[in-house]
Amino acid sequence: MLRFQVRGGQVADRLRADAKANQDLVLAAARRAFARDGADASLREIAKEAGVGIGTLYRRFPTREDLVWAVYSGEVDRICEEAQAPGVRPRVWMEDFLDFLAAKRAMADALKVVLAGDEERRLAIRTRITDALGSLLDAAADEGTVRGDVAALDVLMALGGIALIASEPGQRDQAGRLLDLLMDGLRPSR
């Protein structure tokens, strides 16, 4: 399953192309299943939806927590990369971030197990997201579309509050209105 390659005196492992494709299919299926059914989603159903055997799933993700962590950390990577992509607008990113928080909430119990006693890893994730948001806000401030005196952590906490207030699917319109209010507060005064 793994190939080893020596680079600069270090051994780096890489998944074979087919194993990587299977892993990506499992992660995509797990993302959908966790969003739909929470972290207790059936691993057999995830494997079936991915088109792989349950053994393939367990070979790469020996425990449910391993799979939850892989999905969650992949979503953290995605949301951070999106924040730093050229041309991304803060309001669009905030919508995606609310979706990220909804997916995180669906996996909350399993994430508690994964992160239990690992405050360093939890804080590292928050720092990554805050730094990515900070880059997005800095770029928007340079363009003159948001104020330059807003702390990324404050915006992140406001987004967390919006997610708590308007967490149900039927409240998406309300979440949008709250995001509009947040964006109004971020705009430079004229």
Side-chain angles (χ1 to χ4, degrees), residues 84-149:
Q84 297 175 335
V88 69
R89 312 308 304 157
R91 177 65 166 75
V92 171
W93 184 85
M94 289 177 187
E95 286 276 349
D96 289 344
F97 188 73
L98 290 182
D99 291 339
F100 163 80
L101 291 177
K104 178 184 173 187
R105 190 172 28 263
M107 299 183 292
D109 290 340
L111 280 171
K112 285 178 189 171
V113 172
V114 171
L115 295 172
D118 197 346
E119 187 67 11
E120 188 175 316
R121 183 159 61 166
R122 191 185 68 73
L123 289 175
I125 291 166
R126 185 165 97 180
T127 299
R128 274 191 68 208
I129 294 170
T130 304
D131 290 349
L133 176 56
S135 294
L136 174 62
L137 293 173
D138 288 346
D142 290 346
E143 293 174 354
T145 56
V146 301
R147 297 173 15 202
D149 64 341

Side-chain angles (χ1 to χ4, degrees), residues 52-111:
V52 301
I54 190 71
T56 298
L57 185 149
Y58 278 117
R59 203 169 13 267
R60 188 67 188 131
F61 306 104
T63 68
R64 176 179 300 276
E65 288 77 19
D66 291 331
L67 182 58
V68 167
W69 176 251
V71 168
Y72 177 66
S73 62
E75 287 298 293
V76 169
D77 292 345
R78 182 191 62 76
I79 203 75
C80 288
E81 289 167 9
E82 182 183 335
Q84 297 175 335
V88 69
R89 312 308 304 157
R91 177 65 166 75
V92 171
W93 184 85
M94 289 177 187
E95 286 276 349
D96 289 344
F97 188 73
L98 290 182
D99 291 339
F100 163 80
L101 291 177
K104 178 184 173 187
R105 190 172 28 263
M107 299 183 292
D109 290 340
L111 280 171

